[in-house]
Amino acid sequence: DRDEAQFAGKSLFLKADLERPFAGAVRGRFGDRQFRMITGIEIIEPLANPTHFIQECRALLGTSGILILTSPNPESPPARLKFLTQAELRHFDAAGDPTHITPIFPRLFPRLATRAGFEIEAILPAPDARNYHGTRSWIAMTAGLVCRFVRPGRPGDVNVFLLRPRV
């Protein structure tokens, strides 16, 4: 987050612009080591260039490391229904987070991951297919019905991407 005052812990903290090279600054703050795990929770959709962010993470991960990213699911049944009826992307509309500018589509994400030096280990839905944050039950039910007649979308409100470095 951009507000350092929100983090009152005693852990090491580094403020970095994720749109610019940051791997060197991380190494300078935390030592010249390779990380076993990096998590990015709801961090890539505010970025103009998510590939750059993932490439910088790749530079910090060891060969057996894992990158775990989450992002709103633009292919969920409620998201598809919203796009069908209102031509708006759920979580990227006026009701969504105003910092969200780059939707991450699971069917295209492997291309981005490959360019950044990763293989997709898994794309998991969260929560399960019956729960959608902030969605009225009748909308979720209608979305489920509509999706029976079109190519199925991915369940879950959020996608969890598990990426391993290509070696």
Side-chain angles (χ1 to χ4, degrees):
D1 203 312
R2 294 189 171 136
D3 184 5
E4 293 177 55
Q6 290 183 11
F7 303 101
K10 294 182 181 181
S11 299
L12 290 177
F13 177 80
L14 172 69
K15 182 177 181 178
D17 181 351
L18 301 180
E19 299 280 9
R20 301 194 179 286
F22 60 85
V26 170
R27 283 192 194 98
R29 179 79 167 126
F30 297 96
D32 193 21
R33 64 175 186 226
Q34 296 203 317
F35 292 87
R36 289 181 284 174
M37 179 188 304
I38 297 175
T39 59
I41 309 301
E42 305 294 313
I43 195 70
I44 57 176
E45 61 280 349
L47 300 175
N49 186 353
T51 304
H52 165 76
F53 171 77
I54 295 170
Q55 287 170 329
E56 290 291 300
C57 290
R58 176 63 187 96
L60 293 167
L61 272 177
T63 56
S64 62
I66 187 166
L67 175 60
I68 303 171
L69 300 172
T70 68
S71 185
N73 181 4
E75 295 180 3
S76 71
R80 294 175 62 152
L81 181 62
K82 181 167 195 130
F83 191 79
L84 178 68
T85 60
Q86 300 174 26
E88 291 185 347
L89 287 173
R90 187 168 188 258
H91 300 292
F92 294 83
D93 59 358
D97 185 328
T99 67
H100 288 186
I101 59 170
T102 307
I104 306 298
F105 289 90
R107 286 181 175 83
L108 298 175
F109 190 71
R111 294 180 194 173
L112 186 147
T114 298
R115 285 184 182 184
F118 284 97
E119 294 177 0
I120 303 282
E121 183 171 299
I123 301 174
L124 307 170
D128 68 27
R130 298 173 303 261
N131 297 304
Y132 297 98
H133 176 70
T135 301
R136 292 181 209 96
S137 59
W138 71 269
I139 293 175
M141 186 174 67
T142 303
L145 290 172
V146 168
C147 286
R148 290 179 185 206
F149 299 101
V150 296
R151 183 177 181 184
R154 290 190 169 279
D157 213 30
V158 172
N159 287 314
V160 179
F161 300 96
L162 307 178
L163 293 84
R164 296 271 182 195
R166 280 188 300 149
V167 286

